[in-house]
Amino acid sequence: MRARLTYLAPYVPHAAIPHAGGQFLFRYLAHLAHSFDIVLVAPGSPLNRAAALDEVPVETHLIPVRRRPRTLVGLAPRVLANAVAGVTPGWHVLHAFRRDEKLWSRVSTSDLVELQFGQYLPFVSDIRRRAPGVPVTAFEHDVLAESLRRRAVGGFLHERTFGRVAAARARRVEPILLNQCDAAFTFSDRERTLLHQMGVNIPIEVVSPVVGQHPPSSPNTQRPVVLFVGAMDRPENHQGALWLATKVWPAVLRSHPNARLVLAGTSPPAALLEVAGPSVEVTGFVADLEAWYQTATVFVAPNLTGAGVKFKVIDAFSHGLPVVATPIAAEGIVEGPLSAGFAAVTDDPAAMAAVMVRLLSDPAEARRIGEAGHAWVQARYDFDASMATVVRTYRSLIARSRENLAG
């Protein structure tokens, strides 16, 4: 009889989900579904309800979530509570999940429960109370305390104030919640070390991102393309894209007036749409990014906030593109002074523009760096080996739990 696993996550992953975390979760669950009986539990948001009708690799259970209050009096206390909680999926999700009897019936009969994304860590306390013998694992897609700290640097005064409070609280609460789990997974040795430094003392395994096999790119020589890809509804992506378009790109255009900057990704905010023009394309949702990867000459990752391994950089390497990245975008990937595939790692606008100009002026150098990056990433990341480690971790925890029950 196959072991029963339950996953709690904010998203229902499907084949066309437009962000890297969801794409990874899709492949992760599809791989595990060969070995385990899996149910994914997620909020019943409109996007998740639509996703559940698409190609989903596992059974799903969507929990209806009550709409937020429409009045300021009803909404303000909850917004404030979310802002300063540090680690939370949101008050409305907490309330709905805790009241859903089908969820807790499933949890109590599960062999293991996994919490996907740091925001869902608060549910470990509920699981321990309602199903104390069930092993719990957590997948930290990024270190939430670090991501919140960086996000608090920008924004309006109230955003910075609440952000600093949330980041400080997350720094304290995140390790407490993780230490209630039996094991955790993350994407880099750097993040594992950071979590240990924060006081996390459970075993943490590093899981490799999925690295695709792609044909060699064929850059547009008539009008070279510089590409950035990301879910533009996320602040770290649209803020970085806006910085790139306004602070870096004008200097590139002075040397290469025929070049084009493509900012590809779902749900760009109004501020980003306003920078679109003859030399800047803001695509919105793209069903298949392969065409952009195939025609680009350079990939740039301009993230100034956020945390965790940026899958977009791994994807660019796997497509054989040279990458110009900020230090935050290169975190967890750079090994030594500079890994193969990075043309530069800098957050200085003039330096970034100069490197991009050099690569556009010398396609042979761009191709050489891109090929080196492709070879490096293929040698560095092994998703199948990582998944074998995940399965071993699961089986060990389940066996130990069964022994404890039998004893």
Side-chain angles (χ1 to χ4, degrees):
M1 183 176 177
R2 302 204 317 169
R4 290 162 54 87
L5 272 53
T6 301
Y7 292 76
L8 275 60
Y11 314 113
V12 173
H14 57 103
I17 193 167
H19 52 81
Q23 291 164 8
F24 172 82
L25 184 57
F26 179 87
R27 292 170 174 81
Y28 181 77
L29 293 177
H31 190 287
L32 292 168
H34 294 296
S35 304
F36 301 100
D37 171 20
I38 294 175
V39 169
L40 175 75
V41 181
S45 66
L47 286 176
N48 281 343
R49 289 197 299 271
L53 301 176
D54 201 343
E55 179 188 346
V56 180
V58 297
E59 180 184 345
T60 60
H61 170 53
L62 301 185
I63 297 178
V65 175
R66 197 179 71 180
R67 288 188 176 187
R68 298 179 179 182
R70 296 179 181 273
T71 66
L72 182 60
V73 172
L75 183 60
R78 292 168 172 81
V79 171
L80 180 61
N82 281 342
V84 301
V87 181
T88 179
W91 66 269
H92 52 304
V93 174
L94 283 170
H95 181 75
F97 275 46
R98 285 169 174 164
R99 289 172 59 90
D100 190 85
E101 291 305 320
K102 184 175 180 180
L103 164 62
W104 298 109
S105 175
R106 169 74 190 195
V107 165
S108 66
T109 58
S110 293
D111 293 295
L112 182 140
V113 178
E114 183 159 292
L115 305 171
Q116 283 279 331
F117 298 89
Q119 297 93 319
Y120 276 52
L121 282 173
F123 289 116
V124 66
S125 302
D126 299 273
I127 297 167
R128 290 305 187 204
R129 185 175 67 255
R130 296 181 185 231
V134 175
V136 182
T137 57
F139 205 123
E140 286 272 272
H141 287 238
D142 54 30
V143 178
L144 197 56
E146 184 176 42
S147 180
L148 289 169
R149 178 181 63 80
R150 288 173 172 167
R151 191 175 295 180
V153 173
F156 297 107
L157 177 61
H158 70 281
E159 292 173 324
R160 296 197 301 271
T161 301
F162 290 151
R164 291 190 186 101
V165 173
R169 181 161 175 77
R171 179 114 189 150
R172 184 178 68 84
V173 172
E174 192 169 13
I176 292 173
L177 295 173
L178 278 168
N179 283 334
Q180 294 182 51
C181 299
D182 296 285
F185 305 104
T186 190
F187 288 119
S188 73
D189 290 323
R190 177 190 174 277
E191 291 173 303
R192 176 166 59 184
T193 299
L194 178 58
L195 288 169
H196 284 322
Q197 290 171 346
M198 289 169 58
V200 177
N201 54 34
I202 61 172
I204 302 174
E205 298 288 350
V206 175
V207 177
S208 171
V210 181
V211 177
Q213 297 286 346
H214 304 285
S217 60
S218 303
N220 186 330
T221 56
Q222 299 300 315
R223 193 176 184 196
V225 170
V226 173
L227 177 65
F228 172 54
V229 169
M232 296 302 175
D233 54 350
R234 300 191 61 167
E236 54 265 38
N237 287 330
H238 69 243
Q239 290 170 1
L242 191 60
W243 175 82
L244 172 65
T246 58
K247 304 297 185 183
V248 181
W249 189 242
V252 178
L253 278 182
R254 285 194 287 272
S255 295
H256 292 276
N258 200 40
R260 181 164 48 147
L261 175 63
V262 176
L263 307 173
T266 188
S267 305
L272 191 57
L273 291 172
E274 290 174 1
V275 304
S279 71
V280 178
E281 181 170 352
V282 181
T283 68
F285 173 73
V286 177
D288 185 1
L289 291 166
E290 193 65 23
W292 285 121
Y293 279 113
Q294 287 299 313
T295 58
T297 300
V298 180
F299 188 92
V300 60
N303 303 79
L304 301 172
T305 60
V309 172
K310 305 300 182 292
F311 289 1
K312 57 180 69 67
V313 174
I314 304 299
D315 283 343
F317 282 166
S318 71
H319 283 86
L321 293 176
V323 175
V324 183
T326 60
I328 287 176
E331 279 180 347
I333 303 172
V334 170
E335 294 180 348
L338 202 64
S339 296
F342 282 110
V345 176
T346 178
D347 55 11
D348 176 75
M352 180 173 281
V355 173
M356 290 161 63
V357 167
R358 188 180 82 238
L359 294 173
L360 294 177
S361 301
D362 190 347
E365 181 188 7
R367 186 165 54 253
R368 177 186 61 77
I369 295 172
E371 289 172 352
H374 180 270
W376 180 85
V377 80
Q378 294 294 332
R380 171 67 175 79
Y381 294 108
D382 189 335
F383 178 72
D384 289 340
S386 289
M387 294 308 299
T389 299
V390 172
V391 171
R392 282 197 301 271
T393 300
Y394 285 174
R395 295 200 188 283
S396 174
L397 292 173
I398 292 169
R400 189 172 67 192
S401 173
R402 289 174 177 172
E403 288 174 5
N404 291 338
L405 289 174

